[in-house]
Amino acid sequence: MDTLQILLMGFISVVIVNNLVFTKFLGICPYLGVSGRIDMAFGMGCAVTFVVTLSGTLTWLIDHLILMQFGLEVTRYVCFILVIAGAVQLVEMYIRKFFPALYDSFGIFLPLITTNCAILGLCLFVNLWGIDNLLEAVVLSVGAGIGFTLAICIMAGIRENLNLADVPVCLKGAPITLITAGILTLAFMGFAGMIR
Amino acid sequence: MLKNVKYFAEQSWLLIAASFVFGLLLAVTNTAWGPMIEQNEINKFNNLASLLLTDASFETALKDVEVDSGKGKKIKTSIKKGVSRDSDCVGWAFVCEGSGFADKIKLVLTVDAAFEKLAGFGVLASNETPGFGDKIKGDYYRNQFVGAPAAQLVLSKTGDDKIIDNEIVAITGATVSSEAVVKTVNNYIKQIKTCMQTEGLLNNAE
Amino acid sequence: MPSNDSANVSFARTFAAGIWNENPVLRLLLGMCPTLAVTAAVKPALTMGLSVIFVLFCSNIVVSLMRNMLKPHLRILMFTLTISTFVTIADLFLKAFAPVMSETLGPYVPLIIVNCIIICRAEACASKNTLAVSIVDALGMGAGFTLTLCVLAGIRELLATGKVFEIQVMPGAFVPWAAMGMPVGAFITLGLLLGAVNLITRKNP
């Protein structure tokens, strides 16, 4: 029961309270780039969720079974980024083979997941928070992906309506998106302290 | 077969060579700076702890203990013995961890030699809201712990912060952070005191 | 072979491009994570900027030297390997010589690895140009990044605490806007800054 509670709390915490996009500024690039249409945003979110789950789990395993065993912590960042790059390649090949339509609509953004800070960020945070249990690492990774999807979908929904609004010319595009994101952050701050 | 090997070597020799070079580079930097990084961490702990227990040095780690965080997790911490210049034991110091408002809070907690009074705490790491929760680093809040009994502390919202007893007055606007510190301190004091008493370490020190 | 003068002019132009015309943050919208995350005060922003310059400089040199030996499909792997090595070195350096700063920046130092600016310059510039051009490009881009970070951090620190570079600037009666130090302040300040840059460039094209 206790374990279940810890897992559930950790999950909610990483999805809502410590949402990587709103509180840690991770994954801003795709957040600004792909949040124009809600269906693409959702697709991107799913791809990120998949990659982050895979790489979060793998990096935890590598960190605990290899790096910490042999005192090779200094190569941690190199290993993490290589695992992520590998995972992205895997997802890219999978999607190209089985969902060609989706692959075409992703275009450049799929390889760009490698440089999505949210993924490396999560791997680093799992290490920083001192998670010492595989199950928890997996749950946090899934949660981070879902949190990212949530953030990017909310943003896409707002931006679809924003297209109809009369925005000052110089604020069109990225600036107004950032300001909107700021207000969203304010809203998400209401969740702070919900889980301790 | 041989052709494959040749193709593979042709394609990846640069990658493999670079990996070796970079690995060597990392190894060299790590051996050069590794000891400094460790020393920095020890210094940070010592600086905070010796502010609280004046002029004490914390060379010897007395014992590593595992403390239950209250959420079913075990956290390792090591109790360090504070030694004055005349090599008397003046107190104990250890790192505490608890969850605050936004993130983990890490404290250095010091108690006197007999483990009866707190000598105060210092904040090692926290990520509390600026202007509110981060006032736990301020003197108003921290001074209430200096000399407080090393027993269960109680948080109250109104009261006199000048009276040093087991009642801690919360920071306005940061009740959660104040409570988090009190909870963490209580938790660690209780478990470490029990641990030290059962091991008979307290009597040896006096 | 261009004469020395024109070579110098083109170097100056490459350098200046990084600061204004192709400013990585304000124009190319690259490297947003650190821009937003470490700009609560000028000091961490400056440290971050200098670390990025160091990594960009080293990785551009290495990539430029290797550019003729690179196999196209192993290119990105090579870039990431190079970048992550230098980021680890920068991280160790900060931990050893500036432990307080390293703690403030926390995971955002290793996150330089996925800072799009560096991989973008490796791909777009260093893997195609000579050593000298790559070095100037790295310095220009790095300077543009650092400058933007410092401006943003200056505004935020001034409004959030009334200080700049930890020196009191605002009169005592100034009430700090705590929100500027929080994520909200970062997003909105950067949004308005981008708007201001758009406004300026539209007037003098």
Side-chain angles (χ1 to χ4, degrees):
Chain A
M1 193 57 219
D2 251 11
T3 353
L4 196 66
Q5 199 181 352
I6 292 175
L7 290 180
L8 195 66
M9 285 298 167
F11 181 75
I12 296 175
S13 145
V14 82
V15 173
I16 298 175
V17 183
N18 286 323
N19 188 302
L20 291 182
V21 176
F22 292 131
T23 58
K24 305 276 192 268
F25 307 103
L26 298 174
I28 300 292
C29 294
Y31 181 68
L32 295 178
V34 212
S35 59
R37 274 172 43 213
I38 204 159
D39 52 336
M40 257 178 86
F42 186 71
M44 180 75 180
C46 290
V48 169
T49 308
F50 186 77
V51 175
V52 87
T53 311
L54 203 63
S55 50
T57 315
L58 280 177
T59 49
W60 187 91
L61 284 174
I62 289 180
D63 207 18
H64 281 252
L65 296 183
I66 302 174
L67 298 186
M68 286 188 184
Q69 297 290 325
F70 299 106
L72 290 170
E73 279 98 341
V74 65
T75 59
R76 180 178 284 146
Y77 305 152
V78 182
C79 292
F80 279 17
I81 194 70
L82 289 182
V83 168
I84 293 168
V88 172
Q89 200 94 98
L90 211 68
V91 172
E92 197 182 342
M93 288 193 300
Y94 180 79
I95 293 183
R96 181 152 57 184
K97 183 113 197 250
F98 294 100
F99 308 99
L102 195 64
Y103 180 80
D104 288 336
S105 67
F106 276 152
I108 180 78
F109 289 111
L110 209 53
L112 270 186
I113 297 181
T114 315
T115 52
N116 185 333
C117 333
I119 294 169
L120 182 63
L122 178 94
C123 300
L124 292 169
F125 273 115
V126 164
N127 173 267
L128 202 72
W129 288 329
I131 305 298
D132 48 9
N133 160 330
L134 178 62
L135 203 59
E136 222 181 324
V138 175
V139 168
L140 283 182
S141 311
V142 179
I146 292 177
F148 179 79
T149 316
L150 184 76
I152 200 169
C153 286
I154 293 177
M155 196 64 205
I158 295 178
R159 275 183 77 176
E160 280 186 353
N161 287 315
L162 211 58
N163 285 339
L164 306 172
D166 183 20
V167 179
V169 187
C170 62
L171 287 183
K172 270 200 176 132
I176 193 72
T177 314
L178 278 169
I179 294 171
T180 319
I183 297 168
L184 268 179
T185 319
L186 207 54
F188 267 73
M189 249 169 72
F191 292 113
M194 197 169 82
I195 289 171
R196 296 191 284 282
Chain B
M1 177 64 200
L2 204 67
K3 214 173 151 193
N4 278 346
V5 171
K6 202 181 158 208
Y7 175 76
F8 178 78
E10 237 170 44
Q11 293 291 308
S12 59
W13 70 269
L14 184 65
L15 203 63
I16 292 167
S19 308
F20 272 112
V21 174
F22 289 149
L24 209 65
L25 205 61
L26 282 184
V28 169
T29 25
N30 195 40
T31 28
W33 293 338
M36 281 179 79
I37 295 169
E38 270 170 37
Q39 192 57 42
N40 279 337
E41 264 159 37
I42 298 168
N43 282 351
K44 193 176 175 198
F45 177 89
N46 285 352
N47 286 346
L48 268 176
S50 59
L51 273 181
L52 300 164
L53 282 174
T54 323
D55 290 337
S57 60
F58 299 86
E59 303 296 330
T60 43
L62 186 71
K63 193 179 152 33
D64 289 341
V65 282
E66 278 195 334
V67 175
D68 192 326
S69 70
K71 274 170 146 188
K73 271 197 176 178
K74 298 272 186 202
I75 300 169
K76 266 191 201 146
T77 186
S78 87
I79 308 173
K80 292 204 174 155
K81 188 176 178 180
V83 182
S84 72
R85 260 186 225 125
D86 318 322
S87 63
D88 292 330
C89 171
V90 288
W92 313 95
F94 43 87
V95 179
C96 308
E97 250 175 58
S99 37
F101 183 68
D103 213 335
K104 240 192 270 176
I105 300 182
K106 256 187 166 179
L107 311 169
V108 174
L109 191 64
T110 50
V111 286
D112 66 353
F115 221 103
E116 278 168 352
K117 278 188 171 142
L118 299 181
F121 76 86
V123 180
L124 261 185
S126 77
N127 194 11
E128 303 300 286
T129 328
F132 296 96
D134 69 348
K135 282 188 188 158
I136 55 166
K137 293 176 192 165
D139 287 342
Y140 167 82
Y141 188 64
R142 288 197 323 152
N143 283 346
Q144 297 183 48
F145 286 82
V146 179
Q152 296 299 293
L153 304 170
V154 198
L155 190 79
S156 75
K157 291 200 179 168
T158 51
D160 192 348
D161 61 283
K162 294 286 184 309
I163 303 170
I164 302 295
D165 53 5
N166 68 342
E167 192 183 85
I168 305 293
V169 183
I171 303 161
T172 317
T175 316
V176 177
S177 301
S178 317
E179 199 188 344
V181 173
V182 169
K183 251 189 187 167
T184 311
V185 170
N186 279 345
N187 184 27
Y188 273 74
I189 288 288
K190 191 175 151 202
Q191 294 188 39
I192 288 186
K193 197 171 188 177
T194 326
C195 170
M196 288 179 76
Q197 273 165 349
T198 48
E199 305 255 333
L201 293 165
L202 284 178
N203 302 333
N204 292 351
E206 278 167 40
Chain C
M1 187 77 197
S3 75
N4 228 355
D5 265 3
S6 70
N8 280 341
V9 168
S10 85
F11 281 159
R13 204 169 285 158
T14 317
F15 185 80
I19 292 183
W20 183 251
N21 281 338
E22 286 177 30
N23 185 302
V25 178
L26 300 175
R27 291 302 182 74
L28 306 180
L29 300 181
L30 294 174
M32 285 298 182
C33 304
T35 314
L36 293 164
V38 303
T39 51
V42 180
K43 247 184 181 172
L46 193 63
T47 319
M48 178 53 123
L50 293 177
S51 319
V52 168
I53 291 183
F54 165 76
V55 176
L56 196 55
F57 184 72
C58 295
S59 70
N60 258 15
I61 290 181
V62 172
V63 170
S64 180
L65 286 176
M66 294 190 303
R67 70 182 187 282
N68 294 327
M69 298 181 273
L70 280 175
K71 298 280 182 288
H73 56 281
L74 292 175
R75 182 179 90 244
I76 299 288
L77 197 60
M78 200 68 228
F79 294 165
T80 13
L81 200 65
T82 317
I83 295 167
S84 52
T85 306
F86 288 116
V87 169
T88 311
I89 293 175
D91 187 49
L92 287 174
F93 179 84
L94 284 180
K95 272 188 187 149
F97 295 97
V100 180
M101 212 22 81
S102 152
E103 218 155 89
T104 320
L105 291 174
Y108 295 103
V109 180
L111 280 173
I112 297 177
I113 301 174
V114 285
N115 189 330
C116 327
I117 296 175
I118 297 170
I119 204 156
C120 169
R121 288 335 284 173
E123 168 80 19
C125 177
S127 64
K128 297 193 181 82
N129 287 306
T130 54
L131 188 60
V133 176
S134 305
I135 290 177
V136 174
D137 179 77
L139 291 178
M141 280 288 162
F145 180 71
T146 312
L147 220 60
T148 319
L149 239 60
C150 288
V151 169
L152 196 61
I155 299 173
R156 284 184 65 197
E157 195 182 356
L158 181 70
L159 294 178
T161 60
K163 298 171 189 170
V164 170
F165 228 97
E166 289 168 13
I167 300 161
Q168 190 76 34
V169 176
M170 287 294 205
F174 174 75
V175 180
W177 306 4
M180 287 308 271
M182 293 184 212
V184 202
F187 279 110
I188 291 182
T189 319
L190 185 61
L192 293 178
L193 200 64
L194 283 181
V197 170
N198 281 351
L199 201 65
I200 296 169
T201 39
R202 266 183 343 116
K203 270 187 186 152
N204 347 293

